[in-house]
Amino acid sequence: LLDDIARYQPDDAGLLLRRGMLLERMGRIEPALADMAAAARLMPDDAMMLNAYGYTLASHTSRLAEAHRLVRRALEREPDDPAILDSYGWILYRQGSLARARSYLELAHARLPDPEVAAHLGEVLWRQGERERARRLWEDALQADPESQPLRDTMARFSR
């Protein structure tokens, strides 16, 4: 359906972003990134657009420098947005900057106690040697949202 609509509205950035996010959830990463890149070109100053594209790049590719630039621009536009703070912290973690990542992720989690943010923060805590604190954080988040697949995936990776 989104493909049909996009044929008639090829310059609708919101539509491209929604289709990109759906494609990402379906595991079709390359077409998802193509849609998100097109959306970001159409709306280069939209913080949510920049964040979604940057986070997806950081989560599914090694293009961390590009992801960092995109999310940094989003953060400059919306410095208090917890989703953007989470994305920025996640990218810093993926780049190996654990202390900086932790500060952004703790701030994001304080503002948005979301299970995916908890998964990210817990992963940093784990890598910093605070395994019990990470486990407690994950378990608390799982009690609040037992259906969170990102949280369950993270916990499974670290319980091996």
Side-chain angles (χ1 to χ4, degrees):
L1 179 62
L2 290 175
D3 290 341
D4 289 342
I5 296 168
R7 276 194 282 279
Y8 295 101
Q9 297 176 322
D11 294 333
D12 185 326
L15 175 66
L16 290 169
L17 178 62
R18 283 189 297 280
R19 185 172 68 176
M21 293 171 77
L22 178 61
L23 289 165
E24 187 265 340
R25 280 186 296 239
M26 294 169 61
R28 298 183 54 207
I29 304 306
E30 288 307 316
L33 291 172
D35 274 358
M36 290 179 181
R41 281 191 300 276
L42 290 167
M43 295 184 70
D45 295 321
D46 185 276
M48 292 303 108
M49 197 81 61
L50 296 167
N51 183 58
Y53 182 34
Y55 179 79
T56 304
L57 280 172
S59 295
H60 297 287
T61 76
S62 60
R63 295 161 51 188
L64 296 178
E66 182 180 358
H68 187 270
R69 282 190 304 275
L70 289 163
V71 176
R72 182 74 200 157
R73 282 178 40 214
L75 191 60
E76 289 167 0
R77 286 156 178 73
E78 297 288 340
D80 297 321
D81 186 284
I84 298 172
L85 291 165
D86 172 62
S87 296
Y88 196 66
W90 182 242
I91 291 166
L92 291 170
Y93 166 70
R94 296 270 333 270
Q95 291 177 318
S97 183
L98 296 182
R100 287 183 64 216
R102 180 176 176 168
S103 67
Y104 282 94
L105 291 169
E106 285 178 334
L107 186 57
H109 190 260
R111 293 180 180 177
L112 178 68
D114 176 86
E116 192 165 350
V117 177
H120 293 159
L121 177 56
E123 194 162 331
V124 171
L125 292 169
W126 186 280
R127 297 280 186 215
Q128 289 183 317
E130 295 187 46
R131 293 182 174 188
E132 191 52 42
R133 184 165 175 220
R135 277 189 196 99
R136 278 194 316 273
L137 178 68
W138 291 333
E139 288 167 5
D140 290 347
L142 190 60
Q143 278 189 335
D145 188 349
E147 302 301 316
S148 172
Q149 198 58 51
L151 178 59
R152 288 182 167 284
D153 291 347
T154 298
M155 293 174 76
R157 271 191 330 209
F158 287 89
S159 67
R160 296 178 194 164

